[in-house]
Amino acid sequence: MTAPPSSNMAEKLTLLVLDAEPPPRLGRLTGRVRVEHADESTLAALLPTADVLLVWDFASHAVRRAWPGEGPRPRWVHTASAGVDHLMCPELAASDTLVTNARGVFDQPIAEYVAALVLAMAKDLPRTWELQGAREWRHRESQRVAGTRACVVGSGPIGRAVGRTLGALGITTALVGRTARDGVHGPEELDPLMARADWVVSAAPLTDETYGMFDARRFGLMQPSARFVNVGRGQLVVEEALARALTDRWIAGAALDVFAHEPLGPDSPLWEVPGLIVSPHMSGDTVGWRDELGAQFVELFELWEAGGPLPNVVDKRRGYVPGH
């Protein structure tokens, strides 16, 4: 990769921010770098002027559209998200530009959210709230989660955090990754693990290999008492197949925090699928998360400025940070 300029040239660096509200707090970088702001309509024109691009609007696909244009390109792109599929294109993948992500910020919050969903479904909390609203006293029995089995698909930091958190609830967890290694099952074991699991949790990155991996065949493998949770990427799931699996009672329930198209429109049939919990891509967003993302970028910028090695470097061909 191209080395960053020496620190005595830092005042001449241009940081281009693909904006979202609220804007990032840049802390110690304020006044040290020239900051330019872009939106989807101006990004292509401003890219040639930037040394660094901060993709603060991680829901935007503007980078993927603008990158193939004319002129020089930033030497480093950082996205304030775990996934990078929204910005990758062949031209960026083939370039010398360094790409990093926000790995580490969302791991435990997402794991806690998954645990909350598991407990909510096992204890039938959605139905309890419905009955309370109707002022109806209806005693039921709920499920005990300790002693159940989970299959977590995705062996990165988020998947590992999910496994640890579910393990603390007494759930035996099998982790499935791209390759088999100590503590991680390979993809060839996914089908039998799903068939035995009470909980299947999707936390995988979106790649050519994982696109649409949870389809009618795989939902058909699951036990009728099993439940499915997706906190990875929406395109990992064939949503029509999941809707059918729930409607026809192939599986007992599901929760989606991510969707193929976001935001989920009011006319989407997913809102009314029986046994489905819908949440608006919020599993990793806890109080103060934006400040944490900004602080992480500042730390990475100072490492890059000093010429040091950066963590969270994405393998642009694979679409995720390797080594986990």
Side-chain angles (χ1 to χ4, degrees), residues 181-206:
R181 53 196 183 278
D182 187 29
V184 178
H185 298 269
E188 68 280 357
E189 297 183 73
L190 175 58
D191 287 358
L193 287 171
M194 284 187 64
R196 295 193 298 269
D198 301 289
W199 313 96
V200 176
V201 180
S202 164
L206 180 62

Side-chain angles (χ1 to χ4, degrees), residues 31-280:
R32 290 171 48 191
V33 297
R34 182 185 301 110
V35 180
E36 300 285 348
H37 297 273
D39 58 22
E40 295 198 4
S41 66
T42 61
L43 180 64
L46 291 172
L47 271 178
T49 70
D51 297 292
V52 179
L53 172 63
L54 169 58
V55 184
W56 191 248
D57 185 358
F58 50 79
S60 171
H61 292 82
V63 175
R64 191 162 58 189
R65 293 191 294 267
W67 195 271
E70 297 295 327
R73 289 294 180 260
R75 286 166 286 173
W76 170 34
V77 174
H78 177 77
T79 179
S81 61
V84 299
D85 53 280
H86 60 292
L87 56 86
M88 294 306 298
C89 62
E91 291 82 2
L92 175 54
S95 72
D96 292 331
T97 296
L98 188 72
V99 176
T100 56
N101 71 354
R103 184 174 67 155
V105 173
F106 301 107
D107 307 352
Q108 191 57 33
I110 291 178
E112 292 173 5
Y113 199 87
V114 170
L117 290 170
V118 166
L119 289 170
M121 288 188 280
K123 305 307 177 184
D124 199 22
L125 293 184
R127 183 61 175 154
T128 295
W129 291 323
E130 290 175 6
L131 292 170
Q132 179 180 344
R135 302 190 178 207
E136 183 176 347
W137 181 279
R138 186 183 302 177
H139 180 269
R140 286 126 42 233
E141 293 179 346
S142 65
Q143 180 184 1
R144 185 174 181 175
V145 299
T148 61
R149 291 184 288 195
C151 172
V152 178
V153 185
S155 59
I158 292 174
R160 296 199 302 269
V162 169
R164 290 192 302 270
T165 304
L166 295 183
L169 296 174
I171 300 173
T172 301
T173 303
L175 198 61
V176 179
R178 184 174 181 268
T179 56
R181 53 196 183 278
D182 187 29
V184 178
H185 298 269
E188 68 280 357
E189 297 183 73
L190 175 58
D191 287 358
L193 287 171
M194 284 187 64
R196 295 193 298 269
D198 301 289
W199 313 96
V200 176
V201 180
S202 164
L206 180 62
T207 66
D208 291 342
E209 291 76 22
T210 62
Y211 188 96
M213 67 184 299
F214 295 104
D215 54 11
R217 184 187 71 81
R218 284 213 160 105
F219 290 126
L221 294 172
M222 294 174 63
Q223 303 179 72
S225 60
R227 296 176 174 93
F228 175 80
V229 176
N230 186 20
V231 290
R233 305 298 286 176
Q235 294 88 346
L236 299 173
V237 177
V238 180
E239 293 171 347
E240 296 82 1
L242 175 60
R244 180 187 174 192
L246 290 165
T247 302
D248 293 350
R249 298 184 180 180
W250 297 0
I251 61 176
L256 298 179
D257 185 57
V258 289
F259 300 86
H261 301 285
E262 297 181 3
L264 194 65
D267 57 345
S268 171
L270 292 175
W271 292 108
E272 298 181 353
V273 172
L276 177 62
I277 297 174
V278 171
S279 59

